[in-house]
Each structure stands twice: as C-alpha cells, then as structure tokens.
C-alpha cells in the first residue's frame, strides 16, 4: 500500500508513521506537511518515508503528493484551542479549505480510501455520560468548530460523491513529541524548570486521556477495516480532572504543589469531554493498551531524556507565545 499521511511532522502523525512502519514495513509512506510552528522534521528523524513540504490547501502540491497513493490519512491541523481563540483564520484555512482540497484530489485521482483524523471536541462538553457517534456536533471553540466543519465535508462527500471515507474522533492524546503548549508537556517542562504551572479556573475540568500509540493503532485499524462512511470514536481508558493530572506530574518530577498557580479561565472552556468507544471495540476489536498511570510515567521519562527535542522549542516561537499568553516569561532552558 502507498499511503499519503498529511501533518505527520506533528505529534500524533509522527507516531502514526512509526506505527505503520512497525505493522507493515513494506508500505510506502509519503508525508505532506507545511512545517508550521508545530511541525518539525526532527519528529520523523530516522523514520523511512518521503517528506514533501507544502500545505493541504494548495491543490497543485496536494495532487503531486497524492498521485499513485492508495489511501490518505489526514492529520494536518492547527491543534491548539487557545491559539484558535486568539486568531482563527489558519484554523479555517487548514481544517475547512484544506479538507476540501484533499477531498477533491481523492475524487479526481480515484484514491481508494480516505481517513479524517478528528477529535472528541466536535461534540462539545458533556457533564454526565459519554458521546456516541450519533451525538450531534456542538463545538465550542474555533478549533473544534472548524474540525467539525471538516468532518461534515467528509460526510457530505461520502453522500454526494460516494467516496470511501472514515472519520476517527480521538479524545485528548498525550505521549512523546507533543508540543509544550499543551497541558501535559507544559506541566512536565515547567515542573522540570521549577516554573509555576498555570491551571485554568478551578482546574476541575475533565479530560479523557488516550496514549498516542493507542490512538494510532485505532486509526490504522479504522483505515484498514472500518466500514466506509462511518465515524469511530476513540476514547482513552481513564478520565481525570486537570488538577489530578498536574499533581501526578509534580509527583513524578519530585516537585510539590506550591508550583500550581490558578490563572484566568479559558473563554468558553469545555467542562468535560467523554467518548463512548463501544463501536470501535465491538466492530474492530480495538482496546486501549496503556493506562494513564503507565502512560504518564513513560511521557515524563521521555521529556526528561530528550532535552535535545524540547530545548530549541523553548528558545523559539513558543517563548514569545508563552509570554504573550500567560503574561510572564518562561524560565531559561538551562535551569532544568
Ligand atoms: P500538531 O499540532 O502536533 O501537528 C499538526 C501538524 O500538521 C504539524 O506537523 C503541522 O506542521 C501540520 N500542518 C498544519 N497545517 C498544515 C497544512 N495546512 N498543511 C499541511 N500540514 C499542516 O497536532 P496533533 O496533536 O498531532 O494533531 C493531529 C491531528 O489529530 C489533528 O487533526 C487534531 O485535530 C487531531 N487530534 C488531536 C488530539 C490531541 O490531543 N492532540 C486529539 C484528537 C484529535
Ligand atoms: P489542552 O492540552 O490545551 O487540550 P484541550 O484544550 O484540547 O483539551 O488542555 C487540556 C486541559 O488543560 C483543558 O481543560 C485546558 C487545561 N489547561 C490548563 O489548565 N492550563 C494550561 O496552561 C493549558 C494549556 C491547558
């Protein structure tokens, strides 16, 4: 099989390429990535694949990259809710226009299978129970609204043009190579540096944590065996309040809770996400293999052992973003 994987220089896509390499060493993999602030060539270092640098909203480069591919897996995205609240156009361009360009090329080139990587955030917040694939889409942020628009475009193309497409909606992922703008890596790196950990509002928001390797196995299973036109929810095995997550990381890094600093809440902050994964479990036999206790210990160990990966990030654009967003500077990279 020849696969086009978009956005694979980011966190989840780079793990997905590794997963495919392990499961099917003979597959050919082409990566199309714009290399935004979140995309790095280093994420695919030593991994056998071809990298094309370009945007999924560019029809010409998309056609060149997709030529001869049997399947497309679309990870390309702007992935941070807080950034979408400050400036939304890149989210609209990549999630809506980018998805449309990919779908046009899938149709024109007769690609056999398309998989859209999506998120639990398209369903919005749920205080009790869990969302199923039948739940209505009710997104809260520009990030999730544009992801929902991408999902709807995929479904519309299944209905109108009879393309063979599947959508995978994952809950909050964590693991190696996640950009430190997100809660878990931010907490790990701030804890290692003895920097305060900014917790939004009361910190009692709930997320359903999914180890990145488990999500990638689910995506690959859905790509190969999912029913055409279907969406599959992929939730993690454990849900946790943000404060519990932060406390766990503080324990693992040998820091105490005095580092926790409650800061102004995120506007429109979703209180709880929860997915029912019954469909993918029953239809495709997927099960998460990594519980939160194990995954978080592995993640902390990875960041501790891979300074080479995060030091340049903390010296670059992220430093300015952090200061703008949190109103205080990051401690210098050398103090960890
Ligand atoms: P990420 O921000 O780490 O990586 C995104 C990648 O997409 C980067 O390499 C970036 O350079 C690339 N990119 C951005 N715009 C592009 C464009 N126009 N053309 C080509 N490449 C582009 O994101 P991630 O956390 O790895 O998320 C990947 C996908 O998984 C996204 O679609 C996201 O919505 C979805 N998702 C993420 C989570 C999570 O917890 N991180 C959970 C569920 C679903
Ligand atoms: P995040 O990692 O941004 O993922 P998402 O918004 O997609 O769930 O945030 C996870 C949770 O952590 C969310 O409830 C917001 C909260 N959070 C903080 O409390 N402080 C922070 O500095 C960040 C980035 C997130």
């Amino acid at each position: 099989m020849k696969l086009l994987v978009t956005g694979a220089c980011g966190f989840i896509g780079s793990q997905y390429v590794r997963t495919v390499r392990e499961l099917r060493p003979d597959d050919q993999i082409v990566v199309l990535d714009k290399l935004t602030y979140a995309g790095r060539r280093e994420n695919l270092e030593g991994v056998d694949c071809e990298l094309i640098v370009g945007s999924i909203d560019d029809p010409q480069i998309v056609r060149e990259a997709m030529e001869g591919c049997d399947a497309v897996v679309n990870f390309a995205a702007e992935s941070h809710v807080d950034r979408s609240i400050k400036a939304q156009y890149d989210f609209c361009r990549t999630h809506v226009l980018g998805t449309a360009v990919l779908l046009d090329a899938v149709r024109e080139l007769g690609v056999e299978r398309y998989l859209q990587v999506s998120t639990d955030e398209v369903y919005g917040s749920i205080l009790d129970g869990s969302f199923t694939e039948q739940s209505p889409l009710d997104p809260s942020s520009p990030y999730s609204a544009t992801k929902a628009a991408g999902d709807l475009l995929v479904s519309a193309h299944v209905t109108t043009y009879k393309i063979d497409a599947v959508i995978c909606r994952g809950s909050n992922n964590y693991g190696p190579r996640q950009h430190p703008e997100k809660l878990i890596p931010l907490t790990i790196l701030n804890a290692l540096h003895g920097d305060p950990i900014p917790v939004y509002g009361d910190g009692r928001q709930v997320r359903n944590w999914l180890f990145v390797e488990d999500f990638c196995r689910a995506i690959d299973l859905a790509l190969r065996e999912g029913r055409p036109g279907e969406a599959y929810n992929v939730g993690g095995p454990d849900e946790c309040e943000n404060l519990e997550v932060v406390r766990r990381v503080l324990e693992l890094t040998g820091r105490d809770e005095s580092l926790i600093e409650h800061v102004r809440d995120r506007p429109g902050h979703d209180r709880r996400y929860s997915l029912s994964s019954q469909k993918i479990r029953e239809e495709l036999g997927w099960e998460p293999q990594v519980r939160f206790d194990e995954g978080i210990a592995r993640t902390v160990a990875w960041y501790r052992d891979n300074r080479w990966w995060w030091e340049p990030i903390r010296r670059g654009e992220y430093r300015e973003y952090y200061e703008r967003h949190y109103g205080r500077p990051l401690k210098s990279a050398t103090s960890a």
Side-chain angles (χ1 to χ4, degrees):
M1 181 147 82
K2 183 172 175 190
L3 267 182
L4 173 63
V5 186
T6 67
C9 292
F11 163 48
I12 307 175
S14 62
Q15 176 57 50
Y16 178 71
V17 173
R18 285 179 170 78
T19 299
V20 173
R21 273 279 147 268
E22 222 176 278
L23 296 174
R24 291 188 305 283
D26 294 337
D27 276 9
Q28 234 181 302
I29 303 176
V30 178
V31 169
L32 174 62
D33 199 294
K34 189 179 173 183
L35 297 180
T36 66
Y37 76 92
R40 300 170 76 205
R41 289 172 195 271
E42 297 92 303
N43 287 346
L44 288 173
E45 212 167 79
V47 183
D48 174 23
C49 59
E50 178 194 349
L51 171 62
I52 299 175
V53 177
S55 177
I56 61 164
D57 66 8
D58 176 340
Q60 197 181 328
I61 205 148
V62 162
R63 270 167 194 68
E64 279 165 28
M66 212 184 281
E67 190 73 54
C69 288
D70 304 295
V72 175
V73 182
N74 179 28
F75 288 94
E78 293 292 334
S79 62
H80 196 33
V81 171
D82 292 325
R83 292 191 194 242
S84 82
I85 293 168
K86 297 255 162 71
Q88 60 186 337
Y89 293 167
D90 283 344
F91 292 74
C92 297
R93 263 190 290 273
T94 294
H95 302 172
V96 187
L97 185 57
T99 301
V101 169
L102 289 173
L103 291 167
D104 271 351
V106 162
R107 242 172 0 107
E108 285 167 28
L109 298 172
V111 173
E112 280 165 36
R113 185 83 151 162
Y114 177 89
L115 189 141
Q116 177 82 346
V117 180
S118 187
T119 163
D120 57 359
E121 303 194 21
V122 297
Y123 298 116
S125 186
I126 186 166
L127 292 183
D128 295 301
S130 302
F131 290 118
T132 71
E133 292 79 0
Q134 261 70 54
S135 302
L137 305 191
D138 185 19
S140 307
S141 68
Y143 164 70
S144 51
T146 51
K147 288 296 291 183
D151 288 11
L152 291 173
L153 270 177
V154 173
S155 302
H157 280 65
V158 169
T159 305
T160 302
Y161 304 106
K162 312 292 178 217
I163 67 160
D164 178 340
V166 171
I167 300 171
C168 257
R169 300 194 176 116
S171 61
N172 280 70
N173 275 232
Y174 68 106
R177 298 179 203 86
Q178 185 169 32
H179 192 281
E181 67 193 358
K182 306 295 192 319
L183 178 69
I184 287 183
L186 182 151
T187 302
I188 296 171
L189 294 187
N190 282 23
L192 291 176
H193 289 81
D195 241 355
I197 320 283
V199 169
Y200 295 159
D202 65 4
R204 305 207 50 201
Q205 304 82 4
V206 173
R207 297 293 183 264
N208 181 196
W209 293 99
L210 174 62
F211 195 62
V212 63
E213 290 175 11
D214 280 333
F215 190 33
C216 290
R217 280 191 309 103
I219 290 168
D220 202 54
L221 204 53
L223 177 72
R224 286 177 295 112
E225 295 175 28
R227 279 187 292 137
E230 295 292 314
Y232 292 91
N233 289 345
V234 188
D238 299 289
E239 69 171 38
C240 217
E241 287 185 358
N242 291 342
L243 269 176
E244 290 174 56
V245 171
V246 170
R247 288 196 184 108
R248 206 68 247 284
V249 171
L250 290 172
E251 266 168 43
L252 288 163
T253 49
R255 298 285 186 177
D256 66 50
E257 293 187 17
S258 61
L259 282 186
I260 295 176
E261 187 174 270
H262 288 270
V263 300
R264 195 168 68 87
D265 208 352
R266 170 187 284 173
H269 198 167
D270 284 330
R271 194 69 181 165
R272 177 172 175 266
Y273 295 134
S274 182
L275 286 180
S276 162
S277 311
Q278 200 180 341
K279 182 172 169 181
I280 191 163
R281 284 175 191 253
E282 287 180 0
E283 276 188 25
L284 306 183
W286 174 83
E287 287 293 336
Q289 288 175 354
V290 181
R291 297 296 303 263
F292 188 69
D293 274 352
E294 180 196 335
I296 193 70
R298 280 170 65 180
T299 305
V300 169
W302 188 87
Y303 281 89
R304 218 197 274 278
D305 294 345
N306 287 279
R307 298 180 68 106
W308 71 270
W309 186 89
W310 51 258
E311 273 183 344
I313 297 180
R314 281 178 62 100
R315 280 196 301 268
E317 184 269 354
Y318 176 61
R319 173 164 292 275
E320 288 143 40
Y321 163 78
Y322 191 94
E323 193 158 341
R324 243 187 357 258
H325 183 66
Y326 295 101
R328 62 151 72 220
L330 272 177
K331 276 204 179 151
S332 89
T334 50
S335 59

